[in-house]
């Protein structure tokens, strides 16, 4: 939800800001802007739409001379996506400019107060109160004004602030929104995430909530909320530049789909030593695991659906009840959670506001929290008691693919690890399942290799206005994610349904205009789902089935079949989802959709 960048150095700032914004565009892309300090004036350029428009308007930055600046790409919350509502926002006296990612929850009362004091508002944004507060509190010292302003704000914010009176300095503040400082030589940076920094530096400082910093060309000074300087560790960014670029693929989404075997291998392999799963990043001891009464998994969107698939593996292997809860519901549900609950929190970005809130609520009630997160140093990773990273590398396409499957991979690792520690699994079964887990990347590669017909299937199905995804058990968990992929990137209405539920009402909708994607990869319920295929066929639906290549019986039932290699049911979701990702991708491509940046969405959902 919005990306922010900043630079202070010796080079022209605008081209660096624009490059950074291009990398952050996946976070929000309805409008964008930059502010560059040039002597004692600030040049602001803002446009509605994509960064490309901003590059055009500024002649790739040439129209905005100056070596210090800040930039923003927006996902509108308060106020429509217009030039006026785009950031940066300027103070009435033109001396200060601010970019903001997050939400100022008390902006209404602050706005009234500032209007009463004579400040003039140009936009409908919550952000504009920040720049007027800074102007109000500024008495020759920007640091003090930033401290006083931050103390007035409630909500989440990562801020970048510049001022004509201190033309070399950029101030940044972090409170519940991501912000990373990039340490260069004779130049320094900040950004919402490392993808905007890696082209310039691999040395990063991760700010904690409440901390703020002064960035100049030669120094970065970090302060605690009271304004005392503090020492911070410089971390090395390990993500490479290529992994944040398209590398010859037409879209990031396709590149990320194809990267899944590598991403899953990178997630699993380092955690297996001498035929044992070793999770030494955590303190999930046998004694602790034996003491818990239940596991609750919480997340949003696809991460929630990964939890739905993971539940089967954990319950099956560990024999412990697993509840999967939407974070946006859990946070307000007065949950029955105590010190005997292990809360597993799934998040690719590690910054999802609802997930953070649900985690904090459950921590308050005594639960131990285990985060499964992709972004190193993210809020969820830092807040959780234990963290297991998914090593997917940067995921740029808004619709998650490798983020989702690497979450599954960690859930499978955890399930097997915990089952062993809890003495719920004999050595032979453990060994066999571990072997299956190790070969998952291979199975996924085979799936990618054997599905060259999917672009043609997309040509057949792309004109429909609506489709159903059905399955039972693990197949139902995949139906949920498959339908979401289809909806979000192709804009085709897609409904996921537990196959056995169709006859309780929904089958009334089935006719020749509703293609049904039937998932049949779970041996224990395969025959049942095949009966459901017969039922929907009898009502005129075209059926596209996904099944193991051994299940040739299905060929005579379905209109089209996508085959995948046979995989142990509890781990099959990670393979079964691959053709559905590809189908959604090629259907969206047929329909000319903006695949990497679907309308109305943003990659990192830092608002409630
Ligand atoms: C869908 C998608 C979203 C995210 C959800 C949670 O393709 O990407 O549904 O899964 O917004 O995001 P994270 O995992 O970053 O917490």
């Amino acid at each position: 939800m919005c990306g922010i960048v900043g630079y202070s150095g010796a080079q022209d700032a605008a081209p660096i800001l624009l490059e950074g914004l291009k990398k952050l565009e996946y976070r929000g892309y309805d409008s964008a802007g930059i502010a560059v300090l040039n002597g004692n004036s600030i040049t602001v350029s803002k446009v509605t739409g994509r960064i490309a428009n901003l590059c055009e308007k500024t002649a790739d930055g040439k129209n905005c001379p100056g070596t210090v600046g800040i930039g923003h790409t927006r996902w509108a919350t308060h106020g429509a996506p217009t030039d006026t509502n785009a950031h940066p926002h300027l103070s009435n006296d033109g001396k200060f400019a601010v970019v903001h990612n997050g939400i100022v929850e008390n902006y209404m009362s602050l706005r009234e107060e500032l209007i009463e004091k004579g400040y003039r508002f140009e936009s409908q944004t919550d952000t504009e109160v920040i720049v007027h507060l800074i102007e109000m509190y500024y008495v020759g010292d920007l640091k003090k004004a930033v401290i006083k302003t931050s103390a007035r704000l409630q909500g989440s914010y990562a801020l970048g602030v510049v001022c004509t009176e201190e033309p070399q300095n950029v101030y940044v503040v972090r409170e519940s929104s991501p912000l990373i400082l990039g340490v260069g030589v004779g130049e320094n940076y900040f950004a919402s995430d490392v993808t905007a920094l890696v082209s310039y530096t691999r040395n990063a400082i991760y700010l904690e909530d409440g901390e703020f910093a002064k960035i100049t060309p030669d120094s970065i000074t970090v302060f605690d909320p009271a304004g005392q300087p503090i020492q911070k560790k410089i971390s090395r960014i390990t993500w490479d530049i290529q992994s944040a670029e398209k590398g010859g693929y037409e879209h990031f989404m396709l590149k990320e789909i194809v990267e899944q075997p590598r991403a899953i291998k990178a997630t699993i392999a380092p955690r297996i030593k001498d035929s044992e799963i070793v999770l030494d990043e955590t303190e999930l001891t046998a004694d602790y695991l034996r003491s818990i009464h239940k596991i609750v998994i919480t997340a949003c969107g696809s991460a929630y659906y990964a939890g739905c698939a993971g539940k089967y593996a954990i319950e099956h292997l560990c024999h412990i009840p697993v509840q999967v809860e939407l974070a946006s519901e859990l946070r307000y549900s007065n949950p029955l959670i105590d010190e005997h609950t292990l809360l597993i929190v799934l998040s690719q970005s590690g910054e999802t506001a609802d997930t953070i809130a649900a985690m904090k609520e459950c921590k308050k009630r005594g639960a131990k929290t285990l985060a499964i997160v992709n972004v190193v140093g993210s809020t969820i990773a830092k807040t959780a008691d234990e963290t297991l990273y998914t090593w997917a590398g940067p995921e740029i396409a808004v619709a998650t693919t490798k983020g989702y499957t690497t979450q599954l991979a960690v859930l499978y690792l955890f399930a097997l690890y915990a089952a062993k520690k809890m003495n719920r699994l004999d050595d032979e079964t453990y060994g066999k399942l571990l072997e299956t887990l190790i070969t998952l990347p291979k199975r996924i590669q085979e799936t990618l290799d054997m599905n060259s017909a999917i672009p043609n299937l997309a040509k057949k199905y792309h004109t429909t206005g609506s489709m159903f995804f059905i399955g039972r058990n693990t197949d139902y968990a995949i139906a949920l994610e498959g339908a979401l992929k289809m909806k979000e990137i192709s804009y085709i209405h897609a409904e996921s349904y537990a196959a056995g539920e169709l006859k309780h009402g929904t089958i009334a909708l089935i006719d020749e205009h509703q293609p049904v994607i039937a998932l049949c990869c779970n041996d224990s319920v395969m025959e049942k789902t095949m009966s459901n295929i017969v039922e929907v066929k009898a009502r005129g639906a075209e059926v596209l089935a996904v099944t193991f290549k051994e299940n040739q019986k299905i060929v005579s039932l379905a209109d089209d079949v996508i085959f995948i290699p046979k995989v142990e049911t509890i781990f099959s979701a990670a393979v079964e989802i691959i053709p559905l990702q590809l189908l959604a991708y090629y259907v969206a491509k047929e329909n000319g959709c903006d695949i990497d940046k679907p309308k109305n969405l943003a990659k990192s959902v830092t608002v409630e």
Side-chain angles (χ1 to χ4, degrees):
M1 300 268 123
C2 303
I4 61 175
V5 285
Y7 174 79
S8 177
Q11 303 185 58
D12 279 335
I16 294 171
L17 298 175
L18 291 170
E19 275 313 301
L21 289 179
K22 280 183 202 160
K23 300 278 170 17
L24 296 179
E25 198 172 17
Y26 71 92
R27 300 177 66 86
Y29 33 84
D30 58 42
S31 52
I34 54 173
V36 179
L37 273 168
N38 191 10
N40 53 5
S41 71
I42 300 178
T43 312
V44 175
S45 194
K46 309 203 272 191
V47 290
T48 309
R50 301 288 165 88
I51 309 299
N53 302 357
L54 189 60
C55 293
E56 201 182 311
K57 184 169 179 188
T58 60
D60 290 325
K62 289 185 202 75
N63 299 344
C64 300
T67 59
V68 176
I70 52 179
H72 187 273
T73 180
R74 181 166 186 248
W75 186 87
T77 55
H78 297 70
T82 60
D83 288 8
T84 315
N85 287 332
H87 303 208
H89 291 284
L90 271 180
S91 57
N92 289 164
D93 63 6
K95 285 186 178 171
F96 305 88
V98 165
V99 287
H100 166 218
N101 170 29
I103 286 196
V104 180
E105 285 164 4
N106 58 334
Y107 84 102
M108 295 275 259
S109 59
L110 290 171
R111 193 176 164 110
E112 276 164 27
E113 176 189 327
L114 287 158
I115 288 173
E116 242 169 59
K117 291 190 164 121
Y119 289 90
R120 202 180 58 253
F121 279 77
E122 307 284 343
S123 74
Q124 287 108 41
T125 64
D126 53 336
T127 303
E128 204 182 340
V129 298
I130 302 172
V131 75
H132 298 319
L133 284 172
I134 290 177
E135 179 181 347
M136 182 169 88
Y137 288 126
Y138 183 78
V139 198
D141 184 343
L142 186 53
K143 182 180 155 198
K144 278 196 184 140
V146 165
I147 295 176
K148 284 189 174 159
T149 299
S150 303
R152 299 292 313 276
L153 303 177
Q154 286 163 17
S156 59
Y157 48 90
L159 303 178
V161 184
V162 289
C163 163
T164 53
E165 303 284 322
E166 302 187 21
Q168 293 285 286
N169 303 346
V170 179
Y171 275 87
V172 295
V173 189
R174 179 199 155 119
E175 181 58 58
S176 305
S177 282
L179 196 106
I180 296 146
L181 309 178
V183 185
V185 179
E187 51 191 357
N188 290 304
Y189 313 79
F190 78 85
S192 298
D193 82 34
V194 295
T195 52
L197 300 175
V198 279
S199 316
Y200 304 108
T201 179
R202 294 187 162 276
N203 293 330
I205 296 174
Y206 293 89
L207 289 189
E208 302 289 329
D209 282 347
E211 291 176 351
F212 68 103
K214 176 182 160 185
I215 302 171
T216 73
D218 303 311
S219 65
I220 292 181
T221 318
V222 180
F223 304 95
D224 68 13
Q228 291 308 310
I230 46 175
Q231 284 303 319
K232 294 288 287 187
K233 186 175 121 215
I234 297 182
S235 308
R236 231 19 224 160
I237 301 171
T238 51
W239 285 359
D240 57 28
I241 299 167
Q242 288 83 348
S243 54
E245 286 173 352
K246 275 193 215 151
Y249 287 91
E250 197 177 343
H251 297 99
F252 276 110
M253 182 173 178
L254 185 58
K255 174 178 176 254
E256 288 161 6
I257 289 173
V258 169
E259 276 174 356
Q260 289 176 106
R262 187 206 55 73
I264 292 188
K265 192 167 177 197
T267 301
I268 293 177
R271 290 166 170 142
I272 298 173
K273 291 174 191 136
D274 301 328
S275 304
E276 282 288 331
I277 298 172
V278 180
L279 301 182
D280 51 10
E281 315 108 284
T282 68
E283 285 176 20
L284 296 168
T285 61
D287 279 351
Y288 168 71
L289 289 166
R290 284 179 205 145
S291 76
I292 56 179
H293 298 172
K294 67 171 176 181
I295 292 176
V296 175
I297 301 179
T298 196
C300 299
S302 291
Y304 168 77
Y305 295 146
C308 294
K311 168 187 162 89
Y312 291 99
I314 301 172
E315 283 191 338
H316 185 87
L317 297 176
C318 303
H319 306 189
I320 186 166
V322 179
Q323 232 173 285
V324 191
E325 301 284 350
L326 288 165
S328 53
E329 291 293 318
L330 183 67
R331 62 184 292 190
Y332 296 120
S333 69
N334 198 9
L336 295 174
I337 279 176
D338 60 19
E339 68 277 15
H340 297 295
T341 309
L342 171 63
L343 182 83
I344 300 183
V345 182
L346 297 174
S347 177
Q348 185 284 129
S349 64
E351 300 294 348
T352 304
D354 282 320
T355 311
I356 295 169
M359 174 167 73
K360 288 185 175 162
E361 183 59 39
C362 296
K363 262 189 115 164
K364 244 187 357 208
R365 289 163 191 259
K368 188 180 182 82
T369 50
L370 165 64
I372 298 176
V373 179
N374 194 39
V375 177
V376 174
S378 56
T379 304
I380 291 177
K382 285 194 297 197
T383 315
D385 299 308
E386 312 286 349
T387 299
L388 288 169
Y389 283 109
T390 51
W391 298 115
E395 192 179 61
I396 308 294
V398 164
T400 184
T401 51
K402 61 177 182 171
Y404 167 86
T405 46
T406 51
Q407 283 166 353
L408 287 179
V410 176
L411 286 168
Y412 296 160
L413 273 171
F414 169 81
L416 211 43
Y417 171 87
K420 181 86 188 287
K421 293 273 177 210
M422 294 157 95
N423 285 335
R424 303 280 155 86
L425 213 52
D426 61 75
D427 287 349
E428 196 190 329
T429 315
Y430 176 82
K432 272 195 195 144
L433 289 172
L434 187 56
E435 204 41 52
T436 307
L437 203 50
I438 294 169
T439 52
L440 263 188
K442 253 197 206 144
R443 299 288 92 83
I444 293 175
Q445 189 58 56
E446 285 164 22
T447 310
L448 289 165
D449 294 343
M450 66 202 268
N451 278 298
S452 54
I454 292 180
N456 279 335
L457 288 171
K459 285 192 198 318
K460 173 173 174 186
Y461 288 99
H462 79 104
T463 50
T464 185
S466 172
M467 53 175 88
F468 275 82
F469 286 69
I470 63 166
R472 292 165 182 257
N473 214 281
T474 43
D475 288 331
Y476 175 50
I478 287 304
L480 294 165
E481 172 61 3
L484 179 61
K485 284 284 93 68
M486 186 60 76
K487 278 183 272 217
E488 65 183 337
I489 61 165
S490 76
Y491 315 141
I492 291 174
H493 170 252
E495 189 150 343
S496 40
Y497 234 77
E501 272 295 297
L502 277 177
K503 57 188 170 298
H504 296 290
T506 313
I507 204 162
L509 293 172
I510 300 290
D511 61 17
E512 66 278 18
H513 305 298
Q514 300 284 338
V516 173
I517 317 296
L519 300 162
C520 289
C521 300
N522 184 319
D523 288 329
S524 67
V525 284
M526 189 156 309
E527 294 292 336
K528 304 282 172 200
T529 309
M530 293 212 283
S531 302
N532 298 125
I533 293 179
V534 175
E535 286 160 14
V536 295
K537 286 259 2 130
R539 279 137 187 105
E542 291 257 358
V543 173
L544 165 58
V546 178
T547 192
F548 298 133
K549 58 178 187 272
E550 288 74 7
N551 183 16
Q552 290 294 328
K553 251 204 274 182
I554 216 161
V555 175
S556 58
L557 298 182
D559 298 277
D560 298 291
V561 183
I562 294 175
F563 288 112
I564 64 168
K566 182 129 179 83
V567 177
E568 173 66 45
T569 301
I570 49 172
F571 300 147
S572 65
V575 177
E576 198 177 346
I577 192 59
I578 306 295
L580 301 189
Q581 295 169 342
L582 288 168
L583 186 67
Y585 173 82
Y586 284 110
V587 165
K589 196 170 162 201
E590 283 297 323
N591 290 351
C593 300
D594 191 346
I595 294 179
D596 285 337
K597 300 187 187 78
K599 66 180 179 201
N600 302 337
L601 297 180
K603 183 75 182 161
S604 176
V605 187
T606 53
V607 296
E608 190 177 340

